[in-house]
Amino acid sequence: MSTVELNQPVPDFTLPATGDQDVSLSDYRGRKNVVIYFYPKDSTPGCTTEGGDFRDHHDAFEKADTVIFGVSRDGIKSHENFKAKQSFPFELLSDKEETVCKLFDVIKLKKMYGKESLGVERSTFLIDKEGVLRQEWRKVKVAGHVEEVLEAAQGL
């Protein structure tokens, strides 16, 4: 499977999500813009802050006709706990097989404490109502990021 490219349609995918459901990108085609943000791990400081920022701006995203999904390799049980604890008003998708992570090319070699491992690089993607990738943010720094994504969504 190739990876996504700016200004090109994003291939459809389906992942298990919180709320005991599966979410498919095609469910939103013609109806909503979609923000997909990839994050390394549930309940870690940076991921909690980023999710909280999306939560705090959720109403503004809704007004911009945009739905938000968080994606990591954690399982649904972990996602359900994280979502409940942080009161996220959006669904978290589980990509244990890394299918969608690979589609968006967010699995990268990371170094931590001198050790190398493959992990999710914090990244966000904005897909328009027609399913076309309009903007991407890679190697995201959390501070101020959500406001930038919101501004882009409002511009669609």
Side-chain angles (χ1 to χ4, degrees):
M1 182 178 350
S2 61
T3 57
V4 297
E5 290 181 43
L6 273 176
N7 302 313
Q8 296 297 315
V10 175
D12 191 31
F13 62 81
T14 302
L15 285 175
T18 48
D20 196 28
Q21 62 185 322
D22 288 336
V23 167
S24 298
L25 183 60
S26 59
D27 294 344
Y28 298 90
R29 192 156 291 138
R31 296 182 29 230
K32 295 248 183 212
N33 303 312
V34 177
V35 166
I36 300 174
Y37 79 94
F38 291 87
Y39 64 96
K41 192 153 183 53
D42 288 344
S43 301
T44 55
C47 300
T48 300
T49 301
E50 183 180 26
D53 288 350
F54 275 111
R55 174 196 62 219
D56 296 347
H57 290 82
H58 186 259
D59 289 349
F61 277 101
E62 288 223 314
K63 284 187 181 101
D65 236 6
T66 304
V67 64
I68 301 164
F69 295 111
V71 180
S72 83
R73 300 181 299 180
D74 293 306
I76 290 299
K77 189 172 184 342
S78 174
H79 277 353
E80 289 287 6
N81 291 337
F82 187 39
K83 180 182 174 190
K85 189 173 183 185
Q86 301 303 324
S87 303
F88 292 155
F90 49 84
E91 305 305 334
L92 300 178
L93 312 184
S94 174
D95 191 16
K96 281 187 159 192
E97 306 298 315
E98 300 179 355
T99 317
V100 178
C101 287
K102 288 176 179 162
L103 173 66
F104 284 87
D105 191 29
V106 298
I107 301 291
K108 303 290 181 188
L109 189 63
K110 299 170 113 183
K111 287 183 182 177
M112 194 171 204
Y113 308 117
K115 290 186 176 175
E116 291 186 341
S117 64
L118 288 175
V120 174
E121 179 180 77
R122 193 179 307 281
S123 307
T124 303
F125 300 86
L126 177 60
I127 301 164
D128 71 13
K129 290 179 185 176
E130 303 315 309
V132 175
L133 179 62
R134 290 300 175 194
Q135 209 151 344
E136 63 182 22
W137 295 263
R138 295 184 181 271
K139 297 182 182 174
V140 165
K141 300 288 181 245
V142 174
H145 173 63
V146 169
E147 290 84 354
E148 200 177 313
V149 176
L150 176 59
E151 195 174 304
Q154 290 168 331
L156 288 179

